[in-house]
Amino acid sequence: MAQQHLDPAASPVAGSTLAAYLQAQATEFLRALRVQREGGGASNGTQESVDAARALRRSARRISGTLHTFRPLLDADWSESMRPELAWLSGTLAREHAYAARLERLLNALHRLSGTVAVPQQATASPAAAVAGRAGAEPAGPAQRAQPATDRGNLTVGAAKAGALLERQLTLARTRAHSAALQALGSSRFHAVADSVAVLASEVPLAPTAPPKKLTPLAAEAECRLTDAVAALPLMTAGHPYNAEALVHGLSADAAPHPQDAPWHQVRLLLRLHRYALEVLHGEGGTVDMRLHNAGQALNRHRDAAEAATAASAAARTPRIAPATAYALGVLHADQRHEVEAARFAFQRAWSREAVGTG
Amino acid sequence: MAQQHLDPAASPVAGSTLAAYLQAQATEFLRALRVQREGGGASNGTQESVDAARALRRSARRISGTLHTFRPLLDADWSESMRPELAWLSGTLAREHAYAARLERLLNALHRLSGTVAVPQQATASPAAAVAGRAGAEPAGPAQRAQPATDRGNLTVGAAKAGALLERQLTLARTRAHSAALQALGSSRFHAVADSVAVLASEVPLAPTAPPKKLTPLAAEAECRLTDAVAALPLMTAGHPYNAEALVHGLSADAAPHPQDAPWHQVRLLLRLHRYALEVLHGEGGTVDMRLHNAGQALNRHRDAAEAATAASAAARTPRIAPATAYALGVLHADQRHEVEAARFAFQRAWSREAVGTG
């Protein structure tokens, strides 16, 4: 069906491989959407609905990334109009999870810094589910026996107050993100995206004329963009442990996120596009490239720690907090910036490992 | 002269080597003391007086350490009574320098964290000399051009206030330590130490009976105490970069210095004793063991960073400070605890390097 758009003189294999991948992702998107709707019309905090939201984001990212990398093979107008809509959707759906994960990371760090054992939170569940899950939890093994209330007793006042402040702020942000996601899922804008994806599942709008390039060269270009961006990273510094680079400007007057983080975030996105392009070429079930996997994990950790550090310093700007609270947030900020540095080190190690193996 | 105390059947070589080392250190002590007295009766802030104070501490530490390691070769009563006096003296003299170095370290860190260039302070000079030296300083190369007043403009209010608070507290502590050192140098207790050292310079009170052990076995015992203490350190963890161990308990209710630091401080002292014992055996002019040198430097850095971190958290407990100040002190505390972790990593590297070379 997809091939009918394609000039027969062009690359039918490229077109059909690409179409098959996009159709599979679109089908996955629609399946997740159905689960979501059956579970009450929107994410209602059950594990099923959380998994469905994750699957929605996952396929939306893959469709969007594939439209970008293989642009010349696809109908230009259609893919240009679809990408920002998919980005809006996956961004909106991702926010709730991101706030929950950020809070979990920060509370775990506070517990570590206070020498107490943290209770693993259910980062992926909605606020309601998290509360329910925690209240109903049975005492587990020794490592999990400590309950939040007990832990707090061992914290300094400052750390406890910092934890409470972060919990308040990030839970509020999460609740707002939850409402925004619900609203988005009920919006006509979302229905238009869902309709486009439904079309995609049955018929991929390939470029009507012979594409100038085929699948492999386009995937190679995506890899080039990645390796160029990695080459521009300060990997020499990052590979030197305890370089203290991530905390530089940590107290500068500029309240914006560290500008030094941007190239790393960019590499994270390019790595993802490269990974999706490999999926198009070799299928999703292919062998996992452990180097890419580890490098990607390091960059996820980099992003999470950078955002957690920003959340800690933002919380410290709350008016009328006690000095002890601010002190704890300062320690926490620096701790997370240290995590940023550790993640860069891990990325450097992961990336250079393969280079040695290949070279 | 020294040999007259020694049983002729015992180890005349051991006795004379030990006596020669102690006499050389005692002579150095007396020379430094003379410089100090000629420079105005006590440390008056000139470079000469600073150098003399350092030389006094240096020889006092060596005499004290040697009395400890080679105890069985020396007159027991005499060496037992002399060691605490030498420890008191070098401790009293070291304090002023320590506060100055701590302030310099913390201000440098604050400048680094604010992304500004720090002006190297004259950590070893007295407060008066430091002020004089800074006021008269000519603009140097680009790296030193920024003056403190200019740098402060680039700091956040919190970092600037934290710097001012630390400067106030540590300068006060340093001035007090300066007065205490002056008082000590004029005390009868000090004159008694100086008299003992003067006796030592001419005649070392060796053990009257045949010592059960000679020089080398006693030095080997000192080395054993060191290697045993190193073996008990968590070197596996320390050798794993970014283990985040040094900040654990960083926010615990206990205001006392980190108990995890104590074994490292102990190794630092044992390493020093080992180094002095090698000096006794091979002379001070012998080749420097770079492994011991690097390991020792790492442990000095460990101690300095740990004390700086404690000073930052102590400053954060000052009543009525602004939250922004407390936040900056929290970041600074965590930064210095990272330095502690980095120093442990450096020690692990320095220590294992030789072990690989020898094994």
Side-chain angles (χ1 to χ4, degrees):
Chain A
M1 219 186 212
Q3 278 81 343
Q4 70 193 32
H5 285 275
L6 200 66
D7 180 340
S11 53
V13 178
S16 66
T17 304
L18 179 59
Y21 181 80
L22 281 170
Q23 283 174 329
Q25 294 304 328
T27 305
E28 180 57 29
F29 182 99
L30 297 171
R31 193 199 59 76
L33 185 59
R34 202 165 49 245
V35 172
Q36 188 109 44
R37 280 182 176 148
E38 281 165 6
S43 60
N44 60 357
T46 64
Q47 190 58 43
E48 201 181 25
S49 127
V50 166
D51 290 346
R54 177 180 291 139
L56 264 183
R57 293 200 307 269
R58 188 178 182 280
S59 46
R61 278 200 311 266
R62 278 168 168 72
I63 296 169
S64 172
T66 304
L67 297 189
H68 178 73
T69 302
F70 300 101
R71 211 172 23 226
L73 296 176
L74 295 159
D75 182 285
D77 289 348
W78 171 79
S79 72
E80 288 299 309
S81 68
M82 193 163 180
R83 281 200 63 224
E85 295 308 291
L86 286 166
W88 161 76
L89 178 64
S90 59
T92 305
L93 294 182
R95 220 151 288 144
E96 181 186 354
H97 169 75
Y99 284 122
R102 199 166 305 157
L103 178 59
E104 187 192 16
R105 167 178 271 274
L106 286 165
L107 292 183
N108 278 336
L110 273 176
H111 281 287
R112 173 166 47 77
L113 295 172
S114 325
T116 58
V117 178
V119 176
Q121 267 212 319
Q122 295 179 306
T124 49
S126 79
V131 169
R134 216 192 285 171
E138 290 292 311
Q144 303 195 336
R145 202 169 286 148
Q147 294 294 309
T150 324
D151 289 346
R152 288 291 149 71
N154 297 334
L155 296 176
T156 54
V157 175
K161 281 188 169 175
L165 178 61
L166 288 166
E167 194 146 18
R168 209 155 57 236
Q169 293 186 341
L170 289 172
T171 304
L172 179 63
R174 180 187 181 180
T175 306
R176 284 188 181 147
H178 184 71
S179 307
L182 285 191
Q183 228 169 2
L185 289 174
S187 69
S188 57
R189 186 175 180 185
F190 173 72
H191 288 117
V193 181
D195 287 349
S196 299
V197 175
V199 170
L200 189 64
S202 63
E203 180 183 327
V204 174
L206 294 170
T209 56
K213 289 183 178 175
K214 299 192 185 155
L215 226 45
T216 314
L218 289 170
E221 278 176 21
E223 185 171 12
C224 267
R225 284 190 289 272
L226 169 65
T227 49
D228 285 356
V230 170
L233 289 177
L235 286 187
M236 190 89 101
T237 301
H240 184 80
Y242 299 108
N243 55 71
E245 203 55 44
L247 245 180
V248 165
H249 299 263
L251 283 175
S252 81
D254 194 359
H258 287 248
Q260 58 168 268
D261 296 349
W264 298 87
H265 295 331
Q266 180 63 12
V267 167
R268 183 177 158 272
L269 298 179
L270 292 173
L271 184 66
R272 204 153 79 176
L273 289 176
H274 170 52
R275 206 149 50 79
Y276 298 161
L278 290 180
E279 284 182 10
V280 171
L281 292 185
H282 308 300
E284 269 198 272
T287 54
V288 177
D289 182 332
M290 280 315 287
R291 176 197 179 211
L292 289 185
H293 174 81
N294 291 337
Q297 292 291 98
L299 292 172
N300 288 345
R301 185 176 155 211
H302 180 272
R303 194 261 325 257
D304 293 346
E307 291 185 344
T310 303
S313 63
R317 285 192 290 275
T318 309
R320 288 180 300 281
I321 56 171
T325 312
Y327 175 80
L329 290 168
V331 171
L332 189 58
H333 172 80
D335 175 70
Q336 290 301 304
R337 292 302 305 174
H338 202 223
E339 271 281 298
V340 165
E341 197 179 301
R344 292 179 188 169
F345 177 74
F347 174 82
Q348 191 275 341
R349 284 294 152 106
W351 192 261
S352 64
R353 188 154 300 159
E354 182 74 351
V356 170
T358 336
Chain B
M1 222 186 209
Q3 278 79 346
Q4 71 193 32
H5 285 277
L6 201 66
D7 182 338
S11 52
V13 177
S16 67
T17 303
L18 179 60
Y21 181 81
L22 282 171
Q23 283 174 329
Q25 294 304 327
T27 304
E28 180 56 29
F29 182 99
L30 296 171
R31 193 199 59 75
L33 184 59
R34 203 165 48 241
V35 172
Q36 186 108 43
R37 280 180 176 153
E38 280 165 6
S43 59
N44 60 357
T46 64
Q47 190 56 44
E48 201 181 26
S49 128
V50 167
D51 290 346
R54 177 180 291 138
L56 264 183
R57 294 201 305 270
R58 186 179 185 280
S59 46
R61 280 200 309 266
R62 279 170 168 73
I63 295 169
S64 173
T66 305
L67 297 188
H68 178 73
T69 302
F70 300 103
R71 213 172 20 229
L73 296 176
L74 295 157
D75 181 285
D77 289 349
W78 171 78
S79 70
E80 289 299 310
S81 67
M82 194 164 180
R83 282 199 62 224
E85 294 307 292
L86 286 166
W88 161 76
L89 178 64
S90 58
T92 306
L93 294 181
R95 220 150 288 144
E96 181 187 353
H97 169 76
Y99 285 122
R102 199 167 305 158
L103 178 59
E104 187 192 15
R105 166 177 271 274
L106 287 166
L107 292 182
N108 278 336
L110 273 176
H111 281 287
R112 173 167 47 78
L113 296 172
S114 323
T116 57
V117 178
V119 175
Q121 267 211 321
Q122 296 178 305
T124 49
S126 79
V131 170
R134 215 193 286 171
E138 290 292 313
Q144 304 195 335
R145 204 170 286 148
Q147 294 295 307
T150 324
D151 288 348
R152 289 290 150 69
N154 298 334
L155 296 176
T156 53
V157 176
K161 281 189 170 177
L165 178 61
L166 289 166
E167 194 148 16
R168 210 156 55 236
Q169 293 186 341
L170 288 172
T171 303
L172 179 63
R174 179 187 181 181
T175 306
R176 283 187 181 148
H178 184 71
S179 307
L182 286 189
Q183 231 170 2
L185 289 174
S187 69
S188 56
R189 186 175 180 184
F190 173 71
H191 288 117
V193 182
D195 286 348
S196 298
V197 176
V199 169
L200 189 63
S202 64
E203 182 184 327
V204 174
L206 295 170
T209 56
K213 287 183 181 175
K214 298 189 188 161
L215 227 45
T216 314
L218 290 170
E221 279 177 19
E223 186 171 10
C224 268
R225 283 190 290 271
L226 169 64
T227 48
D228 286 356
V230 170
L233 289 177
L235 286 188
M236 192 88 103
T237 301
H240 185 78
Y242 299 107
N243 54 71
E245 204 53 46
L247 247 179
V248 165
H249 299 263
L251 284 175
S252 80
D254 194 358
H258 287 248
Q260 57 168 269
D261 297 348
W264 298 86
H265 294 331
Q266 180 64 12
V267 166
R268 182 178 159 270
L269 298 179
L270 293 173
L271 184 66
R272 204 154 80 178
L273 289 176
H274 171 52
R275 205 151 50 81
Y276 298 161
L278 290 180
E279 284 182 10
V280 171
L281 291 184
H282 308 299
E284 268 198 271
T287 54
V288 177
D289 182 332
M290 280 316 288
R291 175 197 179 211
L292 289 185
H293 174 81
N294 292 339
Q297 293 290 98
L299 292 173
N300 287 345
R301 186 176 155 210
H302 180 272
R303 193 262 325 256
D304 292 346
E307 291 184 344
T310 303
S313 63
R317 285 191 292 273
T318 309
R320 288 181 300 283
I321 57 171
T325 311
Y327 175 79
L329 290 169
V331 171
L332 189 58
H333 171 79
D335 174 71
Q336 290 301 304
R337 292 304 303 176
H338 291 158
E339 270 282 298
V340 165
E341 197 178 300
R344 291 179 190 169
F345 176 74
F347 175 82
Q348 191 274 342
R349 284 293 151 110
W351 191 261
S352 65
R353 187 152 299 159
E354 181 74 350
V356 169
T358 336

